[in-house]
Amino acid sequence: MSPCLEGSNVYQLLDDKLRISYISAYLTTRNGTMTKEIKKKQKPTTILFIRHGENEWSKSNKLAGRTPGVHLNEYGKQQAEALGKRLAGAKIDVIYASPLERTMETAQAIAQHHNLQIRECPGIMEVDYGAW
């Protein structure tokens, strides 16, 4: 099981797992004088939200939702590979993906350039629309 929070949503994931740091400036009193102090923290965290490549469902304007077995089509594989090459030089520390096949295939195309394991995260999975 991944270190993702089971059943979490994307907002909880960002809040709990990816603390965004900042530089804060404030005034303080020392010996009766006001001085401006800068408190420097870590650089901000950059978060990339990436949609999966094309599949036969999205190509025909159908909603796949959580339907199992929906893989990238040939064009979707090309899209994912192109994105992986495009991001090959980017500094990426971790990759989270929903467990859906199409998202894992897209994430793998990126992960292979960074020697990273994909962390499956059900909390960022497609909305469940139930049985129709």
Side-chain angles (χ1 to χ4, degrees):
M1 182 54 74
S2 77
C4 264
L5 301 174
E6 185 76 33
S8 67
N9 65 38
V10 69
Y11 302 107
Q12 289 170 325
L13 174 69
L14 295 178
D15 186 48
D16 295 339
K17 296 291 183 187
L18 302 172
R19 304 274 183 217
I20 297 176
S21 301
Y22 55 91
I23 297 175
S24 62
Y26 61 94
L27 297 173
T28 187
T29 303
R30 283 210 184 122
N31 301 326
T33 61
M34 299 295 282
T35 59
K36 185 175 182 181
E37 292 183 11
I38 305 292
K39 197 173 218 185
K40 190 172 181 179
K41 297 189 177 183
Q42 294 176 331
K43 292 181 180 180
T45 299
T46 300
I47 302 168
L48 303 175
F49 289 96
I50 298 170
R51 188 175 191 275
H52 58 77
E54 184 183 86
N55 59 68
E56 291 307 314
W57 286 61
S58 62
K59 182 179 175 183
S60 61
N61 294 320
K62 294 191 318 188
L63 180 64
R66 293 186 179 195
T67 304
V70 179
H71 295 271
L72 298 178
N73 61 19
E74 284 306 311
Y75 184 62
K77 290 176 186 176
Q78 291 173 6
Q79 291 173 319
E81 287 301 318
L83 180 61
K85 288 178 184 175
R86 170 79 183 213
L87 295 176
K91 183 180 182 317
I92 297 178
D93 297 316
V94 64
I95 299 175
Y96 293 99
S98 114
L100 296 170
E101 291 91 343
R102 59 192 181 269
T103 61
M104 293 298 289
E105 291 165 354
T106 303
Q108 184 56 44
I110 299 165
Q112 70 183 356
H113 294 280
H114 297 277
N115 198 27
L116 292 172
Q117 293 293 317
I118 301 164
R119 297 186 186 183
E120 275 190 29
C121 190
I124 58 174
M125 203 165 159
E126 183 77 47
V127 175
D128 186 356
Y129 293 101
W132 287 44

